[in-house]
Each structure stands twice: as C-alpha cells, then as structure tokens.
Amino acid sequence: MISSIKNKLILTLLLLCTSIIVITGTISIIVLDNFYENQIIDDLKIKTNEIKYFIGIPKGNNEDAYEQLQKLTKEGKYRLTLIDSVGNVIFDSDIQENELGKLDNHLLRSEIVQALESGVGVSKRFSNTIKNEMQYLALRIEPRLPLNSIFSKAYFIRISIPLNKIKFATNEVKSTIIILCSLAFLIIAVVTFIISGKITHPLKSMADIAIEIKKGSLDKRISYNSKDELGELATSINSMVDTMNEDIVQLKKLEKMRREFLGNVSHELRTPIFAIQGLLETLLNGALEDSDVRKDFVARALLNTKRLDTLLDELITISSIETGEMKMSFRYFNLQEFLSQSIFEMEPLAESFNVKLKLEKIDNNIEVYGDKEKLKQVVINLIQNGIKYNIPKGTVVISTMKEADQIKIIIKDSGVGISEEHISRIFERFYRIDKERSRDMGGTGLGLAIAKHIVEAHGNKLEVLSELQKGSKFSFTLQRSKI
Ligand code: ADP
C-alpha cells in the first residue's frame, strides 16, 4: 500500500509541510518569547530609572520612606531590592525592614556581578525567596546618590518579576500560533489528498489499461486529454497501441496469406502426384497389357511430372523473390532480337492453339536495360497466357511504344478477356479465374505473380487492360538507350 505513488506523494508532502509548519511555529514562538523578554527588560529599565529618581530625593522629614517605597512597588506588581556597594540588601519590597538582616549577601548574584562590571545586569533564574522563576534586572547607580537622599547607601537597584506572568501573556499568542499551524496543516493535508488523487488517478488508470493491453485487449485506450506531461504520455501510449494494433492486423494478414500459400502449394503438388499415382495403379492393375492404353498412360504420367517440375521451378523462383534472394543482372540488350526470339520460342504453342503470333515493326537498334533472362520469363509468360486464354484463330500482337527515355512493351491478345472483379487479383499467387482451364493448360497460377515481381524489380509496373470477350492488353516499360 505504502509503495503506491499516491501514498508516497502524500507522505512526502505531509512530511515536508509538517517540518515547515513545526519549524515556522517554533521560530515564531522563540521570536515571540525574545520579543516579550526584551519588552519586559525595557520595561524594567524604565522602572529602575523611576526608582532611581524616587530614592534620590532628599530625605527631609520623610521618615516612612521604606513603607512608601514598598507601596509603590506593590502597585507596580514587581519586586524591588536595593543593595549597597558591599552586597547587603537595604530594601526589599517583599520583606519587612527588620527582617533584612536574615538575607544573604547579594554581591555574587549574576545580575549584580554584571551590573558592577557594565552598569546593567540581566538574569533569569529561580528565586528561593519568592519560590518562582524570575526575570531580574540590576542597575548600578552611578554617580552615587546624594548623601541626604532617602536611600543614599543604595548602589544597585534590582527589579524582578515572576516569569510565569510573562509566560501567561505569551501563552495566549502561542496557542493562537499552534491553532493556526494545526489549521494550516489540516488544510494542506486535505489539499495534498485531493491533488495527489488528481495526479495519480490518471497514472493509475494508465497502469490499469497498460495491464489490460498486456493481456491482449488492444482495443482499450486511455482517456486523459489534458495538455500536460501526463496527457502526452497518454497520447503516446494510445498511439503505440494503435501502431501495435495495426502491426498485429498486418501480422495476422501475413500469417493468413502464409497459411493460404502453404495450403495452395500442397494442393498444387498433390494434384499431379495423385494423377501419376492413379495412372501407375491402373497400369499395374492390368492396363499394362494393352499397348495403346499403356503408351497413353505413360505419356500422361510424364506430362504430370513435367507439371511438377514447372511448379517446383516457379515455387523456387517466387520464394527467392520474396525472401529477397533473387539476384538481378542488369545490362543493355537488343529489344528487337529479344522479342523475336521470345516469339520464335512460343510459335509451336501458338500453332497448337491455332493462334497467330505477330510482332509489330520495331527499330532494330533499340537497346533496353534490364535482366534479360528474367525479362524473357515475363514476356514468355505473357505471350503464353495470350495464347492459352485465346480463341481459335485468335491473335497475340507484340508491339512497342517509345516514351521519352523508356519504351513500352505491349502484349495484346484477342482472347477471352478478364472481368473487372478478377483483374485486380490475377497477380496474386495461385489466383486463377478458371482453375480447370488453367490446369489443363499446364498453368500453375504463379506466372503473373512472378512476372509482376520481376517488372517491379526493374522499377516499373506491370499493367493490364482487359475487356471480356474482346481480349487483354498487358504492358510494362523498360529503360532504353538514347539513340
Ligand atoms: P496461369 O498459370 O494460371 O496462367 P498466371 O499467373 O499466368 O497463371 O495467370 C493467372 C490467371 O490470370 C490465369 O489463370 C487466368 O485466369 C488469368 N489470365 C492471365 N492472362 C490472361 C489473358 N491474357 N487473358 C485472360 N485471362 C488471363
């Protein structure tokens, strides 16, 4: 409990305030005591001077001077002692004249010693005579009183008052100070509780939400909009969770794609393997005897092994592209020669599909920059698709278009076309509009995904325009030499 920030804050603030209040209170009381003490000493000084004046008046026929002086001091509520130069008490307001002889010699009293030395002496101590804590002030009479004065022998005037009187006067002020200090402490304590609560409440809710987030509730956000440091912290935590959320969405998407890809791969691998297995089993179960069937089955099994080979090749290519391991080797090469060669290689396939391949006229001195082998794979794939998804007697036209320092390569077919809903997805791995048709033609659904990556590795985009039943137009640009 003590370890919570709120408690620490409260404890620290209260300790601090208590120390300040106690120190201030104590200092005030000490200052007050000193002030009163000084005030009393000043007061006593005035009184001693009054006494000095009184005892200095000529004796005349003033026979009861002792009594008169006693009366005077009684009114002033203080004790007066007159002491001669050798320390004998010659007057004491609290003692009758005939009792004076019983008193000790006063010459060694602290205030008298001081007064002898410097004229005035002050001391505070317990009086055995009065049985009380007393404040004393002694004054040395200099010059000496005239010989005819009433107390001509007096050398020291000493006045004292009980300290409890001073204490009584200051106690009231002291208790007011103590009450005020306690009140200040109470107010500070309440304010401390409120402020600590206000400061630590958002911290507590932030901590709670952070725990929730840690447990996986990424939809939780801290609602603290103040423009202070805590507000900044809340905003940072919220945006951190936002980013985490987005990252997790991304990761989940990637994970889903990975799972789908693995599912697709195993499915694609299984299809030709099962086909081969079926053919071989049928052969073993007797078809081997029939020479026509045997030849056909073996040919079909071979075709499936070729499909497996193509599939594995393309899988290796796509994984090397996606892991960034695909090495590119850029150089200039002749475009016309490159396209003619590609068309030449595709001629047998085109013939088998009864599709015409056509290369539009192109300058034979145009050099383009890129990885020739990989671009060949792109062009072959695009021509192959143009042939495969075409109609009998259809055409695939390969043309070029100069653009500033680039040249566009266009492969246009008169085939089945691609509808709007499929067009954005045909570049995805394994995406095939008509699975059966694609598979029948030895397609893997990876060709366009690979082609797109290769074109992008050249810093360009593989684009497509298509219209159902009319045909498709695939194009990409390459950097060309300036001739
Ligand atoms: P596949 O091995 O199936 O040809 P691709 O990645 O090359 O794989 O193409 C993906 C899909 O896009 C094809 O299955 C096909 O449905 C569609 N497609 C590609 N090229 C064309 C085209 N020229 N005309 C119509 N459809 C096409």
Side-chain angles (χ1 to χ4, degrees):
M1 219 12 206
I2 283 286
S3 65
S4 82
I5 290 184
K6 184 179 175 180
N7 288 345
K8 279 182 191 164
L9 203 65
I10 291 175
L11 213 69
T12 313
L13 285 175
L14 285 187
L15 264 177
L16 195 72
C17 292
T18 315
S19 321
I20 292 173
I21 289 171
V22 167
I23 292 171
T24 324
T26 315
I27 291 175
S28 312
I29 288 170
I30 291 171
V31 168
L32 184 85
D33 272 346
N34 282 341
F35 174 77
Y36 267 91
E37 215 173 287
N38 289 336
Q39 190 95 345
I40 284 175
I41 290 169
D42 286 347
D43 215 30
L44 294 183
K45 271 184 193 160
I46 294 169
K47 284 200 172 91
T48 48
N49 282 321
E50 279 171 19
I51 304 292
K52 188 178 163 189
Y53 172 76
F54 181 81
I55 59 174
I57 56 174
K59 204 189 274 177
N61 48 9
N62 218 345
E63 293 305 329
D64 53 353
Y66 200 98
E67 270 176 43
Q68 274 185 25
L69 194 55
Q70 269 189 329
K71 228 189 240 169
L72 190 80
T73 48
K74 285 263 153 52
E75 281 164 17
K77 292 188 183 80
Y78 52 85
R79 180 184 167 204
L80 170 70
T81 316
L82 297 177
I83 300 152
D84 70 9
S85 57
V86 287
N88 296 321
V89 176
I90 55 167
F91 172 84
D92 195 300
S93 55
D94 287 5
I95 294 164
Q96 291 309 312
E97 198 172 3
N98 52 6
E99 306 266 300
L100 287 176
K102 292 179 187 166
L103 295 175
D104 310 341
N105 185 293
H106 274 47
L107 206 59
L108 291 177
R109 297 283 200 277
S110 160
E111 66 280 1
I112 302 294
V113 175
Q114 286 174 47
L116 189 65
E117 268 177 19
S118 56
V120 182
V122 179
S123 99
K124 205 194 292 180
R125 73 192 134 77
F126 194 81
S127 159
N128 279 326
T129 325
I130 308 296
K131 307 279 179 242
N132 220 324
E133 178 93 16
M134 305 287 284
Q135 173 69 57
Y136 293 93
L137 180 110
L139 181 81
R140 195 180 60 189
I141 304 169
E142 204 69 55
R144 299 294 300 259
L145 298 170
L147 281 172
N148 65 342
S149 51
I150 41 176
F151 284 100
S152 60
K153 277 194 187 156
Y155 188 48
F156 299 103
I157 302 172
R158 192 185 73 169
I159 287 191
S160 57
I161 56 163
L163 271 177
N164 58 5
K165 278 192 185 163
I166 310 171
K167 278 187 182 148
F168 183 75
T170 53
N171 274 353
E172 237 174 272
V173 185
K174 278 180 196 169
S175 36
T176 313
I177 291 175
I178 291 168
I179 290 171
L180 284 178
C181 285
S182 316
L183 209 70
F185 177 80
L186 261 176
I187 295 171
I188 289 169
V190 171
V191 171
T192 304
F193 269 96
I194 296 171
I195 291 182
S196 311
K198 280 209 162 156
I199 294 175
T200 53
H201 176 74
L203 278 177
K204 176 87 178 70
S205 56
M206 276 185 221
D208 288 348
I209 290 194
I211 290 168
E212 290 282 311
I213 292 166
K214 195 181 132 199
K215 282 183 191 159
S217 322
L218 288 176
D219 51 333
K220 291 265 162 48
R221 294 292 179 278
I222 300 164
S223 55
Y224 184 74
N225 301 320
S226 207
K227 284 199 162 45
D228 53 16
E229 291 86 342
L230 287 179
E232 271 177 37
L233 180 64
T235 317
S236 311
I237 292 178
N238 283 345
S239 63
M240 191 179 78
V241 180
D242 281 344
T243 318
M244 267 164 67
N245 221 352
E246 276 156 31
D247 286 351
I248 285 171
V249 168
Q250 196 65 21
L251 277 176
K252 281 185 179 161
K253 209 171 134 189
L254 282 175
E255 176 59 21
K256 190 171 165 250
M257 278 169 69
R258 197 186 63 87
R259 253 185 285 122
E260 275 175 13
F261 180 66
L262 273 179
N264 280 329
V265 169
S266 47
H267 179 76
E268 293 302 325
L269 286 172
R270 244 183 238 135
T271 313
I273 291 172
F274 281 170
I276 295 167
Q277 209 178 344
L279 289 164
L280 292 178
E281 272 169 9
T282 321
L283 283 173
L284 273 179
N285 290 341
L288 258 180
E289 313 304 325
D290 187 327
S291 69
D292 283 349
V293 176
R294 187 172 58 203
K295 215 173 171 189
D296 178 42
F297 274 32
V298 171
R300 276 157 66 184
L302 185 68
L303 188 73
N304 276 297
T305 58
K306 281 183 183 159
R307 275 184 193 166
L308 260 182
D309 189 42
T310 316
L311 181 65
L312 287 174
D313 265 356
E314 293 195 346
L315 277 175
I316 289 165
T317 309
I318 201 127
S319 80
S320 75
I321 288 170
E322 289 180 358
T323 53
E325 283 164 14
M326 185 177 71
K327 297 273 174 300
M328 303 290 284
S329 154
F330 291 94
R331 60 192 164 94
Y332 279 101
F333 57 90
N334 185 284
L335 183 63
Q336 206 259 351
E337 204 181 291
F338 168 78
L339 291 178
S340 308
Q341 180 64 32
S342 308
I343 289 170
F344 177 74
E345 282 175 30
M346 285 295 104
E347 213 56 81
L349 186 75
E351 258 173 46
S352 69
F353 275 83
N354 195 12
V355 168
K356 279 246 159 325
L357 291 186
K358 203 175 141 201
L359 175 63
E360 278 195 355
K361 199 176 155 20
I362 163 174
D363 288 354
N364 62 3
N365 55 359
I366 293 180
E367 297 268 311
V368 287
Y369 189 68
D371 184 318
K372 192 177 175 187
E373 296 314 311
K374 305 247 162 36
L375 288 172
K376 180 87 163 282
Q377 213 176 327
V378 174
V379 171
I380 294 271
N381 180 261
L382 294 177
I383 298 174
Q384 227 172 36
N385 283 349
I387 298 167
K388 288 190 309 191
Y389 306 106
N390 217 317
I391 45 164
K393 294 191 179 167
T395 54
V396 176
V397 181
I398 295 100
S399 60
T400 54
M401 212 168 88
K402 281 187 188 172
E403 290 176 350
D405 57 351
Q406 295 205 312
I407 189 153
K408 191 178 238 175
I409 295 144
I410 306 153
I411 292 110
K412 185 173 181 282
D413 64 63
S414 59
V416 293
I418 307 158
S419 70
E420 196 68 33
E421 53 170 317
H422 295 297
I423 212 147
S424 58
R425 303 203 56 192
I426 53 168
F427 297 104
E428 288 174 18
R429 296 171 306 192
F430 297 115
Y431 191 81
R432 287 174 287 203
I433 300 167
D434 182 344
K435 275 204 172 60
E436 283 311 307
R437 181 169 178 162
S438 160
R439 221 173 261 136
D440 285 351
M441 294 179 207
T444 59
L446 290 172
L448 281 183
I450 294 171
K452 179 178 175 261
H453 276 298
I454 294 175
V455 172
E456 281 172 0
H458 284 75
N460 294 313
K461 255 182 90 177
L462 180 55
E463 287 172 327
V464 56
L465 282 173
S466 188
E467 207 178 321
L468 267 182
Q469 314 304 337
K470 288 207 168 156
S472 313
K473 191 168 103 175
F474 286 83
S475 65
F476 62 94
T477 49
L478 283 179
Q479 197 188 326
R480 65 183 175 95
S481 61
K482 294 179 192 76
I483 299 172

